[in-house]
Every structure is written in structure tokens, then in C-alpha cells.
Amino acid sequence: MSETELKINAAGGIVFRLGANPKEPEVLLIFRNDVWDLPKGKTEVGESIEMCAVREVAEEVGSSLPAIVSELDTTYHEYSEKGKLVGKTTYWFSMIFTKAETLKPQKEEGIEKVEWVPLQQAIEKTGYENIKVILRKFQVQKKA
């Protein structure tokens, strides 16, 4: 395996609410590049991981800043961008909105839809294995 040429940090959130079934929360998914995903993005200069997480969620779903409930975990994956191998560590938090929100996908970032989905369906629907892993960790945490 080749060594990563660029290491970046990102942060995101599993925004949840209690829906029709109080035993299973609904989580907020975004649809981008033909894949269901969680809102997340790269840290900006001088920004804390927590601030990045809430900013990115708010930007990508068109909301006010959500409140962090708890830290979840990190995921790591590598991808190629402009011929360089990038190693991306993403820090994940569970979050809630503190008021009713009208959500709007961030079209300029390629986000086509924003949707509340029951947690188990979200795990099945998401297109990336590391997103499934973090959703399962959230599921275990919610049951504890």
C-alpha cells in the first residue's frame, strides 16, 4: 500500500429525531453523487472539530447550527484526488436540532435531497461502508 500524500480532517453528524416509532430514531441523510450519505466536510483553518461538524451539517442541509449530543467515533478512508492519495479522518457526533427546521439541500455542493429516514433503513440505504459502520455505532449507543 502506498503512503498517503495528503492527510485531511473532516467532521460530520448523525442528526436524529424521534419519529413515528419512538423506539427507532430517524436520522438525516443527504443524497449526493447518486449515493445516500451523512452530512460532513473538511475542517477550515483555525476551526475546531466540533465547530466543523455543526457548520458542515448546517451548510449541507440548509439549517441553523445543530446541537451536539455526544461524540461518536472516527472513520478513516483513502481516495485519489487530482492524482494524489488522500487520507481522510472524519470525526462523528450525534446531533439534534433545537427548533423546527425547514431543510434545503446545498445544491452548489451537489446535494440533491435531504431526507429523514428511520435508522435501520438509513443503514441499509447508505452507499458507503464507513457510513454504515458509524450508523451502527450510533444505533448501539442509542440502545444503551
Side-chain angles (χ1 to χ4, degrees), residues 26-45:
E26 294 178 334
V27 297
L28 195 58
L29 295 182
I30 61 169
F31 189 72
R32 170 174 38 203
N33 300 327
D34 295 323
V35 180
W36 287 100
D37 199 353
L38 291 170
K40 65 187 174 311
K42 299 173 189 171
T43 55
E44 293 180 354
V45 176

Side-chain angles (χ1 to χ4, degrees), residues 7-93:
K7 294 182 190 291
I8 59 170
N9 286 324
I14 297 177
V15 183
F16 70 96
R17 70 179 186 184
L18 294 181
N21 177 358
K23 292 182 180 179
E24 181 180 31
E26 294 178 334
V27 297
L28 195 58
L29 295 182
I30 61 169
F31 189 72
R32 170 174 38 203
N33 300 327
D34 295 323
V35 180
W36 287 100
D37 199 353
L38 291 170
K40 65 187 174 311
K42 299 173 189 171
T43 55
E44 293 180 354
V45 176
E47 184 176 53
S48 72
I49 293 294
E50 293 82 1
M51 192 61 228
C52 173
V54 297
R55 176 187 54 75
E56 283 290 345
V57 167
E59 286 177 1
E60 292 194 348
V61 305
S63 69
S64 62
L65 295 176
I68 291 177
V69 174
S70 66
E71 189 174 332
L72 286 170
D73 206 347
T74 61
T75 56
Y76 178 82
H77 73 281
E78 294 178 343
Y79 59 95
S80 182
E81 186 176 90
K82 298 176 186 165
K84 291 189 177 186
L85 186 61
V86 178
K88 181 177 179 184
T89 301
T90 304
Y91 297 81
W92 295 99
F93 300 87

